[in-house]
C-alpha cells in the first residue's frame, strides 16, 4: 500500500497547520479577547447556561431525591425496586437533556453513554439492566452534585453580571436618585451622622470604571464556572472510560481485520498477476521446448534459455513479495539490518540509525518495519528529495520512529491519502503518526508504537 504523497502535497498547499488558508492567516480581530468577550455570543450562551442550570437542577434534584427515597423506603416490598428503576431511568433521561443543553450552549460534544444491555425482553429484564447500569447511577450522582453547584454558580454569575453592567451604566441613570429618590446619588455608606453618595463627576467616572472592570471580568468568571459544568457533564453523563476503551478496541479490531483482508487481496493479486502468470507461461514454453527437442534442438535450447530467464524473474518477484510480508532478515537480525536493507533500495541516500538494546515483540517489529518501508517508498516516488534519514530509538515503554527528508514537503494525513491509512494501522495498536511537512520542506514523519518485549 504505497502512500500517495502527491495527494498529500495538494492538501498541504491548500491548508495551513490549523486548517485555514495559509494566505489568510486566520480571522483577525481588531479588539483583544479581553475587550470583546462581554459582547461575544459565546459569553452570552454560557451566561444563559448558568441561568438555566438553577431551575433545571432544582427539578432534577427534587425528582432524584424523591424517587430514590421513595424506592428505598419501599424496598421492604416489591414496589421499591421498580420505583427505584423508574427513578434511575428518569435520571438517564435528564442526562440526555443536559448533554443536549451543554452541546447547544457550551459547544461541548459528549458522546452518548453505552445503552442498556438486556439479554432478553420484558419489564423485568429492563429493570435489571437499569439497576445494573453504571450510567444510571452516574446520572443520579450528577443530579445530586449539580444542585449545590448550580446554586453557587447562579448567584455568583448573576451578581457579577448585574453589578458590572449597573455600575458601568451608572452615568446614564444616576439622575434617578435626585429626581425620584430624594438623595444626591447612589448611597455607599450612611448612618445617623454621616452618609456618602456617588454624586460628583469624579465619583461617577470612578464608578463607571469599576463597572467596566467588573464587566470585562464577568465573562471569564462565568467561563470558569462553566468549566466545572463541563467536567461534571463529561465525567458523569458521558460514556465511562471502560466503555470508551471498548469502543476504541472494537474500532481498532475492525481496522486490523480490514487491513489483513486488504493485505491478503494484495498478495493474491500479486501472485496471480505476477509469479503465477510467469510460471504458467514457463510451463507452456517448456512444453513447446520438449516437443521441439527432437525436431529442432537449437530452437528448443533457445526456448529453454528464455524459460530460465523467466524462472529468475519469477523468483525475484516471489522474493519481493515475501519481503513485503515479513522479510527473513527482520526475523533473523532485527530492525537494524532490515531497515538498512530497505534503505539500500531507496532512490536517495538514506542514513539509518537504530538505537535499541533489545528487540520488541515480532508484531511491533513488523509494524515498525512496514511503516519505515512505506515512508521510504513515498520518498522515492513523490518527495523529490536528495537525502533522507531514519532514526529508531526507545523512550520508556514506547518505540519511536522518525523519517526525515529534504523534499518539497506538503504531505498530510488528511483527504484519504496513503498517510491516513498508515495512521490507521498505527492507531490499531495504540500507535501515533505525526506529520510535520510544511510546503517547501523538509518533511519529518514521527511514528510512536507501544513497546512490548517477548
Amino acid at each position: 500500500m504505497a502512500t500517495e504523497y502527491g495527494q498529500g502535497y495538494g492538501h498541504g498547499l491548500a491548508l495551513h497547520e490549523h486548517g485555514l488558508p495559509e494566505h489568510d492567516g486566520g480571522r483577525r480581530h481588531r479588539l483583544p479577547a479581553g475587550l470583546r468577550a462581554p459582547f461575544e455570543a459565546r459569553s452570552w450562551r454560557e451566561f444563559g447556561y448558568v441561568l438555566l442550570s438553577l431551575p433545571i437542577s432544582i427539578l432534577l434534584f427534587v425528582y432524584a431525591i424523591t424517587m430514590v427515597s421513595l424506592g428505598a423506603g419501599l424496598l421492604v416490598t416489591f414496589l421499591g425496586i421498580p420505583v427505584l428503576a423508574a427513578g434511575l431511568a428518569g435520571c438517564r433521561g435528564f442526562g440526555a437533556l443536559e448533554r443536549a443543553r451543554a452541546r447547544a450552549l457550551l459547544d461541548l460534544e459528549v458522546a452518548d453513554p453505552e445503552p442498556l444491555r438486556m439479554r432478553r425482553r420484558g419489564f423485568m429484564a429492563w429493570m435489571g439492566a437499569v439497576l445494573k447500569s453504571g450510567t444510571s447511577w452516574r446520572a443520579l450522582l450528577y443530579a445530586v452534585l449539580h444542585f449545590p453547584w448550580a446554586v453557587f454558580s447562579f448567584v455568583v454569575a448573576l451578581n457579577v453580571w448585574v453589578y458590572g453592567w449597573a455600575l458601568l451604566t451608572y452615568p446614564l441613570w444616576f439622575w434617578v436618585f435626585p429626581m425620584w429618590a430624594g438623595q444626591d446619588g447612589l448611597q455607599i455608606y450612611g448612618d445617623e451622622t454621616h452618609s456618602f453618595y456617588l454624586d460628583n463627576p469624579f465619583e461617577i467616572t470612578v464608578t463607571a470604571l469599576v463597572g467596566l472592570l467588573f464587566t470585562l471580568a464577568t465573562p471569564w468568571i462565568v467561563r470558569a464556572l462553566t468549566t466545572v459544568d463541563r467536567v461534571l457533564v463529561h465525567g458523569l453523563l458521558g460514556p465511562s472510560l471502560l466503555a470508551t476503551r471498548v469502543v476504541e478496541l472494537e474500532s481498532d479490531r475492525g481496522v486490523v481485520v480490514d487491513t489483513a483482508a486488504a493485505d491478503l487481496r494484495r498478495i493474491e493479486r500479486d501472485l496471480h498477476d505476477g509469479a503465477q502468470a510467469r510460471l504458467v507461461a514457463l510451463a507452456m514454453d517448456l512444453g513447446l521446448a520438449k516437443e521441439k527437442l527432437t525436431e529442432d534442438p537449437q530452437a528448443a535450447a533457445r526456448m529453454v534459455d528464455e524459460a530460465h530467464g523467466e524462472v529468475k524473474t519469477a523468483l525475484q518477484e516471489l522474493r519481493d513479495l515475501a519481503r513485503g510480508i515479513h522479510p527473513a532478515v527482520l526475523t533473523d537480525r532485527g530492525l537494524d539490518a532490515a531497515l538498512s536493507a530497505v534503505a539500500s533500495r531507496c532512490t536517495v541516500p538514506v542514513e539509518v540509525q537504530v538505537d535499541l538494546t533489545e528487540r520488541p515483540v515480532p508484531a511491533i517489529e513488523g509494524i515498525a518495519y512496514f511503516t519505515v518501508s512505506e515512508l521510504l517508498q513515498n520518498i522515492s516516488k513523490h518527495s523529490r528529495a536528495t537525502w533522507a534519514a531514519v532514526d529508531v530509538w526507545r523512550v520508556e515503554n514506547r518505540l519511536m520512529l522518525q523519517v526525515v527528508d529534504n523534499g518539497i514537503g506538503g504531505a498530510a494525513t488528511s483527504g484519504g491519502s496513503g498517510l491516513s491509512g498508515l495512521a490507521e494501522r498505527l492507531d490499531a495498536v495504540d500507535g501515533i503518526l505525526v506529520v510535520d511537512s510544511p510546503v517547501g520542506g523538509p518533511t519529518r514523519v514521527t511514528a510512536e508504537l507501544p513497546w512490548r518485549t517477548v
Side-chain angles (χ1 to χ4, degrees):
M1 184 186 66
T3 303
E4 298 295 339
Y5 256 43
Q7 189 172 0
Y9 285 126
H11 288 277
L13 289 170
L15 299 179
H16 191 255
E17 181 181 0
H18 300 288
L20 295 171
E22 200 165 29
H23 59 81
D24 183 31
R27 182 181 178 184
R28 296 183 179 180
H29 298 274
R30 295 181 179 180
L31 292 177
L35 294 179
R36 68 175 185 268
F39 309 100
E40 288 183 332
R42 174 184 176 181
S43 300
W44 290 96
R45 289 197 305 269
E46 291 173 341
F47 184 58
Y49 182 90
V50 173
L51 294 182
L52 288 175
S53 291
L54 182 61
I56 292 177
S57 64
I58 291 175
L59 178 62
L60 180 55
F61 181 81
V62 171
Y63 171 83
I65 295 299
T66 301
M67 295 299 291
V68 171
S69 301
L70 182 61
L74 293 175
L75 281 178
V76 294
T77 67
F78 178 76
L79 294 176
I81 296 178
V83 170
L84 185 59
L88 293 175
C91 290
R92 290 176 67 104
F94 275 108
L97 172 65
E98 287 294 271
R99 287 193 301 273
R101 189 166 68 97
R103 187 179 303 113
L105 298 179
L106 299 182
D107 293 330
L108 177 64
E109 292 295 334
V110 179
D112 294 335
E114 58 275 15
L116 294 177
R117 298 181 179 273
M118 296 187 295
R119 297 182 178 179
R120 58 183 184 277
R121 297 181 179 180
F123 177 74
M124 297 298 294
W126 172 85
M127 187 168 57
V130 171
L131 293 174
K132 291 188 294 183
S133 172
T135 301
S136 304
W137 295 101
R138 290 199 307 273
L140 174 63
L141 182 61
Y142 175 86
V144 175
L145 294 180
H146 190 254
F147 172 68
W149 174 251
V151 174
F152 173 79
S153 59
F154 179 88
V155 172
V156 172
L158 186 62
N159 275 278
V160 295
W161 199 285
V162 170
Y163 277 105
W165 283 101
L167 294 177
L168 177 62
T169 59
Y170 181 64
L172 302 178
W173 57 272
F174 79 95
W175 55 269
V176 172
F177 293 96
M179 179 172 292
W180 301 102
Q183 62 187 41
D184 296 335
L186 183 65
Q187 186 177 9
I188 300 301
Y189 170 78
D191 55 21
E192 295 180 356
T193 58
H194 299 87
S195 60
F196 182 76
Y197 298 94
L198 301 175
D199 54 359
N200 61 59
F202 174 76
E203 293 170 351
I204 294 175
T205 302
V206 172
T207 301
L209 292 177
V210 172
L212 177 62
L213 294 178
F214 269 91
T215 303
L216 295 177
T218 297
W220 306 103
I221 296 175
V222 174
R223 194 158 300 171
L225 295 173
T226 55
T227 299
V228 179
D229 290 278
R230 295 172 187 270
V231 174
L232 289 174
V233 173
H234 189 276
L236 296 178
L237 300 182
S240 64
L241 295 177
L242 178 59
T244 302
R245 184 57 178 162
V246 169
V247 173
E248 291 178 355
L249 291 177
E250 290 177 348
S251 176
D252 292 344
R253 181 182 63 183
V255 172
V256 171
V257 171
D258 293 341
T259 301
D263 288 340
L264 288 175
R265 289 194 299 269
R266 176 179 59 84
I267 294 170
E268 181 182 8
R269 183 181 65 251
D270 292 344
L271 285 173
H272 183 271
D273 298 340
Q276 181 180 349
R278 291 188 181 277
L279 291 175
V280 170
L282 174 63
M284 295 176 62
D285 291 342
L286 288 177
L288 293 175
K290 180 179 179 181
E291 294 178 357
K292 290 182 175 293
L293 186 61
T294 56
E295 300 177 0
D296 190 354
Q298 292 183 351
R302 186 170 57 255
M303 295 178 68
V304 170
D305 185 61
E306 293 175 355
H308 183 259
E310 289 291 325
V311 169
K312 291 182 178 180
T313 304
L315 288 175
Q316 183 61 41
E317 290 181 353
L318 289 174
R319 291 193 192 99
D320 294 339
L321 182 60
R323 189 183 295 115
I325 300 172
H326 196 89
V329 66
L330 178 62
T331 303
D332 298 336
R333 300 173 57 188
L335 276 174
D336 195 354
L339 295 183
S340 298
V342 173
S344 65
R345 297 192 298 270
C346 189
T347 58
V348 301
V350 180
E351 298 179 6
V352 178
Q353 183 174 357
V354 179
D355 185 13
L356 298 176
T357 57
E358 57 181 329
R359 295 176 62 176
V361 295
I364 298 299
E365 198 173 50
I367 294 174
Y369 170 84
F370 172 82
T371 301
V372 175
S373 177
E374 289 294 302
L375 293 175
L376 290 181
Q377 286 186 39
N378 295 336
I379 293 174
S380 298
K381 296 179 180 179
H382 308 291
S383 70
R384 305 179 195 173
T386 59
W387 169 87
V390 176
D391 290 324
V392 181
W393 71 99
R394 177 184 177 183
V395 178
E396 296 180 352
N397 62 341
R398 307 293 285 182
L399 176 62
M400 307 296 297
L401 314 170
Q402 191 171 85
V403 179
V404 184
D405 69 77
N406 63 346
I408 61 175
T413 57
S414 59
S417 66
L419 282 176
S420 63
L422 196 59
E424 290 178 355
R425 287 199 175 200
L426 295 181
D427 183 65
V429 293
D430 290 335
I432 300 173
L433 185 73
V434 179
V435 179
D436 180 16
S437 182
V439 176
T443 295
R444 184 184 303 272
V445 181
T446 304
E448 185 177 326
L449 290 167
W451 178 274
R452 302 190 185 100
T453 53
V454 181

